[in-house]
C-alpha cells in the first residue's frame, strides 16, 4: 500500500497526509468510505490538525463527510475518490490488521515526538524489514518516494530514527543505491 500511495498521491504530499492516507486506505469499506476513530488520529498525533485532511482534499483524493447530529463525533468520516484502492490486495480484514500494525509502527514514543516524517519513515522501514530478519534492505529512491522526500533529505530522517533507537545502524551503498539497516526496537 505504501508503494501504491507513493504513486497515487502528488509527489509534494506531506508526511502527515501520507500517514492519514495510509490509515484511510487500509480502513476503508467496500464503498470507499472510511470512519477513523479520533483515538487513531490522536495516536498518530494528528488529532487536532485539519491540514492533512485539507491536503488530501486539495489533491482530490478524499472528501470529509460533514458532521451531522447522527454522525458519531468520536470519528471522522470521509469518502475516498481513488477507485483503484478497491482493487488493491489484501482483503479488508487483512487491511485492518495492517492498519493496526502501521499505527503501532508509527508510535514508538521517541519517534512520534519527532513528528509525522519520522513516523512515516518508521512505518516504511518496518514494512521493508522481513519478519525475524536481522536487517532490512530497499532502494533509497523507493524509500524516499514512499516518504514523499527528496533522496538527499532521507539521511537526516534516518539519523533521527537512529537517535530515537528505532535503528541500530543504517548505510547506503553508493554503487547500488541500496539502503541497508539494522533495526533497534522491534514493533510487533
Amino acid at each position: 500500500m505504501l508503494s501504491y500511495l507513493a504513486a497515487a498521491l502528488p509527489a509534494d504530499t506531506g508526511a502527515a497526509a501520507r500517514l492519514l492516507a495510509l490509515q484511510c486506505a487500509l480502513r476503508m469499506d467496500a464503498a470507499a468510505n472510511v470512519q477513523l476513530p479520533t483515538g487513531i488520529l490522536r495516536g498518530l498525533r494528528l488529532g487536532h490538525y485539519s491540514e492533512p485532511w485539507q491536503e488530501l482534499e486539495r489533491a482530490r483524493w478524499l472528501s470529509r463527510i460533514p458532521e451531522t447530529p447522527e454522525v458519531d463525533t468520536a470519528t471522522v468520516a470521509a469518502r475516498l475518490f481513488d477507485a483503484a484502492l478497491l482493487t488493491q490486495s489484501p482483503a479488508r480484514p487483512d487491511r485492518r490488521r495492517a492498519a493496526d500494525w502501521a499505527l503501532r509502527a508509527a508510535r514508538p514514543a521517541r519517534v512520534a515526538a519527532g513528528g509525522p516524517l519520522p513516523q512515516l519513515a518508521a512505518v516504511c522501514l518496518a514494512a521493508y524489514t522481513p519478519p525475524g530478519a536481522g536487517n532490512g534492505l530497499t532502494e533509497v529512491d523507493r524509500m524516499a518516494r514512499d516518504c514523499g522526500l527528496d533522496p538527499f533529505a532521507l539521511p537526516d530522517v534516518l539519523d533521527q530514527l537512529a537517535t530515537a533507537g528505532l535503528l541500530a545502524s543504517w548505510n547506503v551503498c553508493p554503487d547500488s543505491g541500496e539502503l541497508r539497516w539494522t533495526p533497534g526496537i522491534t514493533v510487533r
Side-chain angles (χ1 to χ4, degrees):
M1 189 59 73
L2 291 166
S3 295
Y4 176 78
L5 290 173
L9 295 172
D12 62 345
T13 302
R18 288 175 187 276
L19 277 172
L20 179 59
L22 179 62
Q23 286 297 317
C24 288
L26 291 173
R27 293 179 187 275
M28 72 176 188
D29 63 18
N33 293 316
V34 65
Q35 290 190 9
L36 285 181
T38 54
I40 289 174
L41 299 172
R42 281 192 306 273
L44 290 170
R45 298 189 181 208
L46 301 175
H48 300 292
Y49 299 108
S50 62
E51 188 174 317
W53 291 100
Q54 293 169 350
E55 192 173 348
L56 293 173
E57 287 176 325
R58 282 191 303 271
R60 301 186 196 284
W61 195 78
L62 62 68
S63 176
R64 282 177 288 181
I65 298 170
E67 288 185 28
T68 62
E70 22 332 307
V71 173
D72 180 9
T73 57
T75 64
V76 177
R79 173 147 180 82
L80 281 60
F81 298 130
D82 189 343
L85 279 172
L86 295 171
T87 65
Q88 297 298 307
S89 294
R92 188 160 192 246
D94 293 331
R95 284 188 288 117
R96 290 187 66 91
R97 280 191 294 279
D100 290 338
W101 173 87
L103 186 61
R104 287 190 309 278
R107 285 198 314 200
R110 292 175 289 180
V111 173
L117 185 54
Q119 288 177 283
L120 180 60
V123 172
C124 292
L125 289 171
Y128 299 140
T129 304
N135 54 39
L137 172 72
T138 192
E139 300 86 21
V140 169
D141 291 341
R142 179 179 186 180
M143 177 74 179
R145 184 176 56 251
D146 288 355
C147 291
L149 285 174
D150 181 290
F152 296 109
L154 189 58
D156 290 336
V157 176
L158 295 171
D159 284 342
Q160 286 179 3
L161 295 176
T163 300
L166 190 72
L167 294 177
S169 65
W170 68 271
N171 65 26
V172 175
C173 179
D175 296 331
S176 66
E178 290 179 333
L179 170 63
R180 296 174 187 263
W181 64 91
T182 302
I185 57 176
T186 304
V187 177
R188 301 246 183 249

